[in-house]
Amino acid sequence: MRHARLMLAAAAAAATGPALLAFNVSPSPTYLNQALALALWGGFVALASLYGGANQSVARALRDAALPAAALGLLLLATLWSWGPGALPSGLALSSLGLLLAAGLLLLSGSAVGAGPQAVPLAQMFFAGWVLAGVLSALVGALQVFAPSLPDGNWIARSGLPGRAVGNLRQPNHLSSLLLWSAMALVPLLELGRVRRGIGWALFAALVLGVVLTASRTGVLGIGLLALWGLLDRRLSRSTRLLLVLSPLLYLLAWLGLAAWAEASQHAFGGEARLAEADLSGSRFGIWANTLALIRQQPWTGVGLGEFNLAWTLTPFPGRPVAFFDHTHNLPLQLAVELGLPLAALVIGLLLAALWQVWQRARVDDDASSLTRRTAWMMVLLIALHSQLEYPLWYAYFLLPAAWLLGYGLGRPATTAAAAAAAASSTRPLLVAGVLLAIGGALSLADYARVAMIFAAPSDGTPLAHRIADGQRSWLFSHHASYAAVTVDDRLPASDPAFADAPHYLLDARLMMAWARALERSGEHDKARYVAQRLREFRNPQADEFFEPCDDPVPGAPLPFQCQAPSRPLGWRDFVR
């Protein structure tokens, strides 16, 4: 009983901790949440190896989850290729490798637990943690909309979008998916009698209201997925199916109620503003069209893992979306443009085959085991649906639990005494790996602090140049320090290592102007003009002064470089060392 309570606490902490952490430190608004996710899910794996996976060897867990493990392995190799023979900076490469390895660990943990004797009880603890995370996050979202003056920014995040809930993750679409995961996790707890029917219905309605408060487009799709689950899953009880089928009606009633409240009270409701937007796709159609053009240009090997932003920004697209995108907002397109079509098709095929395996295994299990596996399948399906419009799996607090859910659905209990005896082994590898992941998440904070000091006023008066130099020695975050270096010091030549680092993270207006000027100072006039041309396509207000001489030239004076076209054809690969 004591171990079960400890396991429940670990599951609740792993789900709720990253979702409720509002405090953040520049330059990344979500890094602390992700570091906490790494540490807490590492602890969850360690405890689960003792509580839920005692009859499952790591080798057997790997065999059960072979398909998604192979997909992760291919992504690991692609990252190494983009880093070694390619030009991806070491900090970005190590970050990607670390997240992929962490996802692999959660995948194996889920597979081991799914095949163990405590599969159903531990899954219930996992789901209970997500219900708690969703309910508390819904309360945060309600405060952000109904009492926007109360959030202080440290304990409860302030919403930067009037009338919309963003949660403590500060993104409405992230909050929406978290709430939908919570609603799905509530289903097995209702079916197995862990939550009373009346309380469960009330919690479900509150979660749907929270989704409405986000005004997220992916939330609408997720509500539809809940209804489909209720319509198609005949193994659920009649009352639970009715609850799921009614979710679109609950959503509509909540929307109409909030619209009426906003009109009567003169408060803002973000949903109305979303409906009034001219571009309901949020520039996605534009970025998808640009991505397809990049795929046509490099169909076989892609632009390299992690290099989409650099390739897209430095490729001519006169009608491009004016925001600085670092992702295609569509998982298949992201894989296709960065890996190339053959490798992307293989990775996607492996993941789809794994989802099919989970569904097939859930169909033949007994009622309780099938229910938990079907729920895991639905939660993975939801985040996959979200990944067609956003990139939630690039965040540890979604990637790690999604990997665990997929592994859990794939774990197969031993069917014979001989197989059980062969599978029985020490869980020490998962225990050790979980502890190491927890320690690694905690230690990464010290590495992050080196670059955070650049963006905060130091108490000891350390000069900015010294703080930047120290930040550039960071293992994982040197690109932030390099960005600071090139945008603060206008004397750096284009050959400075900072220019080989910063552009691979996110090219924005400040960085592009600094890079163009550095190229011009270094005598690389055509490259300077090319970067300026690409910047002008974004029509960014920060660059108005930069291009002012082009719009109002001085008679008789030579035009500055940013007003001239390059004298020879160039492409984005000409800027990769």
Side-chain angles (χ1 to χ4, degrees):
M1 179 63 70
R2 182 181 60 186
H3 292 151
R5 289 175 179 171
L6 182 61
M7 193 69 245
L8 177 60
T16 60
L20 295 180
L21 179 63
F23 180 75
N24 70 95
V25 179
S26 294
S28 172
T30 63
Y31 176 71
L32 296 183
N33 305 78
Q34 297 197 68
L36 186 59
L38 290 168
L40 292 177
W41 284 111
F44 176 83
V45 167
L47 288 174
S49 70
L50 298 175
Y51 179 82
N55 285 355
Q56 177 72 316
S57 70
V58 174
R60 181 177 173 84
L62 181 59
R63 287 197 297 271
D64 287 348
L67 293 176
L72 288 174
L74 291 173
L75 292 175
L76 281 167
L77 292 175
T79 303
L80 291 171
W81 181 262
S82 190
W83 177 23
L88 190 68
S90 60
L92 294 174
L94 289 173
S95 296
S96 296
L97 291 172
L99 276 179
L100 289 170
L101 290 172
L105 174 60
L106 269 292
L107 179 74
L108 291 180
S109 171
S111 178
V113 167
Q118 299 296 323
V120 172
L122 203 145
Q124 292 181 65
M125 298 175 192
F126 181 95
F127 296 140
W130 279 106
V131 171
L132 179 63
V135 170
L136 294 177
S137 294
L139 290 174
V140 170
L143 287 174
Q144 291 169 335
V145 173
F146 296 118
S149 61
L150 288 181
D152 63 349
N154 290 323
W155 292 98
I156 298 178
R158 298 186 182 94
S159 176
L161 304 169
R164 294 183 65 186
V166 298
N168 281 347
L169 295 176
R170 291 180 168 83
Q171 296 195 53
N173 60 82
H174 284 196
L175 175 59
S176 172
S177 286
L178 188 153
L179 296 174
L180 288 165
W181 260 9
S182 181
M184 290 178 169
L186 188 60
V187 169
L189 301 182
L190 279 169
E191 290 288 278
L192 297 173
R194 301 301 182 187
V195 175
R196 293 181 181 179
R197 191 69 56 185
I199 295 175
W201 279 59
L203 292 177
F204 189 88
L207 293 169
V208 172
L209 173 61
V211 176
V212 176
L213 291 174
T214 68
S216 168
R217 288 176 287 247
T218 55
V220 178
L221 297 176
I223 291 293
L225 190 61
L226 288 176
L228 281 176
W229 188 11
L231 283 171
L232 301 177
D233 192 345
R234 297 183 179 276
R235 297 178 71 173
L236 295 174
S237 67
R238 182 176 299 178
S239 61
T240 300
R241 292 185 67 193
L242 178 63
L243 179 64
L244 292 169
V245 169
L246 288 177
S247 55
L249 178 60
L250 291 173
Y251 186 95
L252 177 61
L253 291 174
W255 185 287
L256 294 175
L258 285 168
W261 163 80
E263 182 177 357
S265 63
Q266 300 300 307
H267 279 76
F269 170 44
E272 295 178 327
R274 293 291 270 175
L275 287 178
E277 289 181 359
D279 181 10
L280 288 178
S281 76
S283 298
R284 285 168 181 76
F285 294 158
I287 196 65
W288 291 344
N290 292 169
T291 302
L292 290 172
L294 283 175
I295 293 171
R296 286 193 294 269
Q297 294 170 18
Q298 293 135 128
W300 303 113
T301 58
V303 301
L305 200 69
E307 298 285 34
F308 166 74
N309 172 258
L310 180 70
W312 171 68
T313 305
L314 294 182
T315 298
F317 290 115
R320 71 166 75 240
V322 296
F324 293 97
F325 282 86
D326 60 352
H327 200 284
T328 67
H329 289 67
N330 178 274
L331 180 59
L333 285 178
Q334 185 77 22
L335 295 176
V337 74
E338 292 194 340
L339 302 179
L341 291 174
L343 185 54
L346 180 56
V347 171
I348 293 170
L350 289 169
L351 295 175
L352 290 176
L355 278 174
W356 177 253
Q357 277 189 347
V358 174
W359 176 248
Q360 291 296 102
R361 292 173 188 179
R363 292 176 60 190
V364 300
D365 282 346
D366 61 44
D367 287 346
S369 178
S370 174
L371 175 63
T372 56
R373 292 179 195 274
R374 296 197 315 274
T375 304
W377 190 81
M378 289 300 301
M379 291 176 73
V380 173
L381 189 62
L382 174 76
I383 211 67
L385 180 66
H386 186 175
S387 297
Q388 307 313 301
L389 298 170
E390 300 284 350
Y391 48 106
L393 295 177
W394 265 246
Y395 296 85
Y397 43 76
F398 282 130
L399 174 65
L400 301 187
W404 191 90
L405 286 164
L406 185 57
Y408 176 83
L410 291 169
R412 291 183 295 182
T415 56
T416 66
S425 67
S426 170
T427 57
R428 186 171 298 170
L430 288 176
L431 173 63
V432 172
V435 171
L436 290 177
L437 177 58
I439 294 173
L443 290 179
S444 69
L445 293 174
D447 195 43
Y448 182 72
R450 303 176 77 171
V451 297
M453 291 299 296
I454 299 171
F455 302 89
S459 57
D460 59 359
T462 304
L464 177 60
H466 291 177
R467 286 180 276 144
I468 290 175
D470 185 53
Q472 287 180 300
R473 290 190 286 271
S474 165
W475 283 71
L476 302 174
F477 310 103
S478 61
H479 50 276
H480 290 300
S482 295
Y483 178 92
V486 301
T487 54
V488 168
D489 190 347
D490 58 3
R491 300 166 299 174
L492 291 178
S495 58
D496 190 279
F499 281 113
D501 190 11
H504 292 267
Y505 179 61
L506 177 64
L507 270 171
D508 62 7
R510 287 187 64 196
L511 180 53
M512 293 181 77
M513 286 188 287
W515 199 8
R517 288 171 175 141
L519 288 166
E520 178 68 11
R521 286 195 302 271
S522 299
E524 299 185 74
H525 307 299
D526 283 329
K527 286 187 176 182
R529 296 166 184 170
Y530 185 89
V531 172
Q533 280 190 329
R534 303 288 75 76
L535 173 60
R536 189 153 201 174
E537 292 173 351
F538 285 94
R539 304 182 293 282
N540 191 281
Q542 291 187 45
D544 287 348
E545 184 179 349
F546 183 66
F547 289 114
E548 188 175 352
C550 311
D551 302 325
D552 189 18
V554 177
L559 288 174
F561 76 92
Q562 64 264 38
C563 309
Q564 304 177 45
S567 61
R568 60 189 176 94
L570 293 168
W572 74 271
R573 291 192 185 276
D574 292 305
F575 295 83
V576 176
R577 298 177 189 172

